[in-house]
Amino acid sequence: MRSNGKKIKVAASLPLEEELIRQIEWFIRRRWLVGGGAILAFWVMNFILDLPIRVLPLYAISGSVLAYNFFFQYYSQRLEGTTPYKLSSFSRFANFQIFADWLALTLVVHYTGGIESPVVFFFIFHVIISTILLSQLASYLQATLAAFLITLLSVIEYYGVIPHVHIPGILSGRLYYDPIYLLTFLLFFTSTLYISTYLASSVSKRLRGRETELVALKKNLEEAYHKLEESDVAKSEFVMMLTHELRSPLSAIESTLKLFLEGYAGDLLNGQRELVRGIEQRTHFLLNLVDDLLHLARVKAEKFKKEKAKISLREIVEEVTSSLQTRVKSKRLNLQIDLPRSPLVFWGNDDEMKLLFSNLIGNSVKYTPPKGSILVKMVKENLQIKTEVSDTGIGMTTEDSSKIFEEFYRAKNAKKMVKAGTGLGLSIAKRIVEAYGGKIEVESTRGRGTTFTFYLPIEEQ
C-alpha cells in the first residue's frame, strides 16, 4: 500500500457548507440573467402584449437589481479571498442577498398589480432557494419576512396609503378591495410559503444529516487508511531488517556448500554429492528469495527515492545486458538493443533502475527458449521515456497476464520451464515504475512471446 507522496486532506468544513459558497456564486450569476431577463420581459409586456404597465419604474427596479449584484459579486470575491473561509460571513451574506431580492420583488409586485400580479408566485421560488442556502431557522425567518412584506403591501394599498396599481386585462380591480378575498389570499399565500419552507428544509435537513454521516465515515476510513499505511511501512521496515539479517548466514552457507562440491573438504561419495548439491540449490533459492524480499521491502518503504540523482538510462541498459551475456550466449539468444544515441538522462535512483531493467530483461532471458530473440527498445516521447522489452519466449494466457504483477504469482508454464522462482520480480518492477508516476503494461500470447512496455515520466530538475 503506497501513498505516492500524496497526503489525503480532510476537509475543514462539511461539503454542504462548502456548497453554500458555490451556491452563492450560482445565485449571483443567475441574478444577472434574472435582472436582464426582467427588463426584456417588461419590454415585451409593454410593446408586444400592449399591457398598460408602468414600465419606467420596472426598468428602474431591474436596473437596481443589476447594480447591487455588482456589489454582491465584488463582496463575494473578497469573502472567498479570506483564509480560512468564515462560513458565518457567507451565511449572513446569503441572508442579506435574499432580503434585498425580497424588497425588489415586492416593488415589482406593486407595480404589476399587487396581489393580482402573477409575479407574486416568484416568492415561492425564492423561499425554496433560501432553504438551500440557509439553515432551517433562517429559512423560516426569511419566509416570515416575505409574508410580512406582501401583507404590508396589501394593507397599505387597501387603505390607500399608496395607490394600488391595477393592470386591466389581468384581474378585476374590484377584487382587491374585497376584504374577504384579501384575507383569503394572504392566508393561502402565507401558508404556502411556510409549507414550501417546511418541505424544502426537511429535505435539506435530511441531506445535511446524511452528509454528516458520510463525513464521519470518510474520516474513519482515512484514519484506518493511515493506520494501514503506517502498518505497511512498519511491515516493510521489519522485512528489510529480517531479510538483511538472513542474507549473511545464507550467503555463508551457500559458499561453504560450494566448497564441499568443489572438493576443498575432500572427495564426496556420489550420494553425498547429490545431497549437498540439493542443499546448495535450495539455499541458493532461499538467498534469491531473501534478496527479492529485501528489494520489495525497500521499494515499498520508498528508500530508493531518498537517493535520487541524474542517471543515464542508456548506460544502465548496457550494463544490465552486459551482465546477462553469459546466459544469453549459453542459450544462443539473439539479444538486440535499440537505444537512442542520447544518454536519456533520468532523475532517479541508480540501483532501483538497474533492478527494474534486470528483472524485465532477465525475465525474458530466463523464459525464452534457446535460439529465441529478445528486443530492448527505448524512445523518448514528449515528457516520458517509453521502454519495450519483447521476446519470443513461452508467453502466457490472458488469465496469467492479469495476475502476473501480483506478489509470488508465477504462470503455470513458467513453473514447468523453470522450477526455481520467487514470483516477485515483476511485482518489484511494477512498484518501481509506479513509484515514479509511470505505468507498465503487458501483452502476451502463449507460445509466441511477451512484450512488457513501461513509461517513466521525465522530471524537470
Side-chain angles (χ1 to χ4, degrees):
M1 185 180 299
R2 296 182 296 106
S3 62
N4 289 333
K6 297 179 181 178
K7 296 181 180 178
I8 297 176
K9 295 182 179 179
V10 180
S13 58
L14 298 180
L16 284 180
E17 293 174 330
E18 295 176 348
E19 185 67 17
L20 169 63
I21 300 171
R22 292 190 289 271
Q23 289 291 352
I24 285 177
E25 295 174 351
W26 171 85
F27 200 24
I28 292 172
R29 289 195 300 269
R30 293 303 178 271
R31 192 178 286 110
W32 293 118
L33 297 176
V34 171
I39 294 175
L40 178 62
F42 297 142
W43 180 85
V44 170
M45 291 170 66
N46 187 35
F47 292 99
I48 304 298
L49 302 179
D50 199 26
L51 293 175
I53 61 173
R54 299 174 63 179
V55 71
L56 290 180
L58 292 172
Y59 282 162
I61 296 168
S62 301
S64 299
V65 171
L66 296 175
Y68 69 63
N69 203 43
F70 272 110
F71 167 75
F72 289 157
Q73 188 172 44
Y74 169 74
Y75 189 70
S76 175
Q77 291 171 351
R78 287 195 60 184
L79 280 181
E80 288 180 28
T82 59
T83 305
Y85 290 145
K86 295 180 179 179
L87 294 172
S88 58
S89 300
F90 277 95
S91 182
R92 287 193 296 270
F93 182 39
N95 272 289
F96 183 74
Q97 287 189 69
I98 294 173
F99 172 72
D101 289 341
W102 285 146
L103 293 178
L105 196 54
T106 302
L107 290 174
V108 171
V109 169
H110 168 63
Y111 283 105
T112 56
I115 60 173
E116 299 173 359
S117 171
V119 178
V120 75
F121 293 104
F122 282 97
F123 274 83
I124 299 173
F125 298 147
H126 237 56
V127 161
I128 295 173
I129 291 174
S130 71
T131 60
I132 296 173
L133 295 176
L134 307 175
S135 65
Q136 193 172 33
L137 176 60
S139 300
Y140 278 109
L141 290 176
Q142 288 290 352
T144 302
L145 176 60
F148 170 76
L149 289 174
I150 290 297
T151 302
L152 178 64
L153 175 66
S154 302
V155 169
I156 62 178
E157 286 188 359
Y158 178 79
Y159 284 105
V161 178
I162 59 175
H164 168 62
V165 179
H166 174 63
I167 302 177
I170 297 181
L171 282 176
S172 172
R174 289 175 298 179
L175 289 175
Y176 197 93
Y177 298 101
D178 183 350
I180 301 299
Y181 170 77
L182 184 63
L183 289 174
T184 302
F185 170 83
L186 291 176
L187 176 63
F188 276 92
F189 177 77
T190 302
S191 60
T192 300
L193 291 183
Y194 281 117
I195 291 171
S196 300
T197 301
Y198 170 75
L199 294 175
S201 62
S202 297
V203 173
S204 295
K205 186 177 180 181
R206 287 185 180 182
L207 286 175
R208 289 190 175 98
R210 294 290 186 184
E211 175 252 1
T212 302
E213 294 175 3
L214 288 174
V215 169
L217 178 61
K218 178 175 178 287
K219 185 178 179 181
N220 291 336
L221 287 174
E222 286 172 349
E223 290 176 355
Y225 173 84
H226 288 305
K227 288 180 180 179
L228 285 173
E229 191 177 45
E230 292 171 0
S231 174
D232 192 58
V233 171
K235 181 186 73 176
S236 298
E237 295 283 354
F238 173 75
V239 172
M240 284 175 61
M241 179 188 69
L242 181 63
T243 51
H244 188 270
E245 292 298 321
L246 286 173
R247 195 179 190 286
S248 295
L250 283 172
S251 296
I253 293 171
E254 184 184 37
S255 299
T256 302
L257 292 171
K258 284 182 177 179
L259 290 176
F260 275 102
L261 291 173
E262 292 171 1
Y264 287 98
D267 294 333
L268 298 174
L269 299 177
N270 288 336
Q272 293 173 332
R273 180 174 295 277
E274 291 302 318
L275 181 61
V276 172
R277 182 177 288 109
I279 297 173
E280 189 271 337
Q281 290 174 350
R282 286 168 176 77
T283 304
H284 182 73
F285 170 78
L286 286 175
L287 190 57
N288 287 338
L289 177 61
V290 166
D291 284 339
D292 283 347
L293 286 172
L294 182 60
H295 291 146
L296 182 63
R298 291 195 68 187
V299 172
K300 282 185 176 182
E302 299 187 343
K303 295 292 183 180
F304 287 113
K305 294 183 72 175
K306 299 176 182 178
E307 305 166 359
K308 294 168 69 175
K310 286 185 177 180
I311 56 177
S312 170
L313 292 183
R314 178 187 179 89
E315 293 179 1
I316 287 177
V317 172
E318 290 174 346
E319 183 179 341
V320 169
T321 53
S322 177
S323 67
L324 295 169
Q325 281 303 314
T326 302
R327 293 164 60 187
V328 169
K329 290 179 179 178
S330 66
K331 297 180 72 173
R332 291 171 291 171
L333 300 175
N334 178 24
L335 176 59
Q336 297 180 359
I337 310 296
D338 184 2
L339 305 177
R341 293 183 178 180
S342 62
L344 287 176
V345 175
F346 180 74
W347 187 263
N349 180 273
D350 188 75
D351 292 334
E352 197 169 34
M353 289 297 107
K354 287 179 183 176
L355 182 60
L356 170 62
F357 284 97
S358 294
N359 279 332
L360 291 175
I361 302 174
N363 225 45
S364 290
V365 172
K366 183 187 295 184
Y367 295 110
T368 299
K371 298 182 180 181
S373 299
I374 300 172
L375 172 62
V376 180
K377 184 178 180 180
M378 186 183 297
V379 293
K380 183 178 179 182
E381 292 184 352
N382 299 324
L383 294 177
Q384 59 185 1
I385 297 173
K386 175 184 176 182
T387 304
E388 292 182 356
V389 180
S390 305
D391 62 55
T392 58
I394 60 175
M396 66 187 89
T397 63
T398 303
E399 181 183 357
D400 288 328
S401 297
S402 65
K403 300 178 181 179
I404 199 64
F405 294 111
E406 296 178 7
E407 295 174 15
F408 301 105
Y409 184 83
R410 297 185 71 209
K412 295 178 180 179
N413 57 341
K415 292 178 181 178
K416 290 180 179 179
M417 182 176 182
V418 181
K419 292 184 178 180
T422 63
L424 290 173
L426 293 177
S427 175
I428 293 171
K430 184 174 185 290
R431 286 184 176 271
I432 292 174
V433 171
E434 292 180 348
Y436 285 92
K439 65 176 182 178
I440 185 168
E441 303 166 345
V442 59
E443 291 184 6
S444 184
T445 302
R446 184 162 184 173
R448 299 184 62 180
T450 303
T451 298
F452 286 96
T453 305
F454 64 91
Y455 303 84
L456 294 173
I458 301 173
E459 298 180 18
E460 295 293 335
Q461 297 294 331

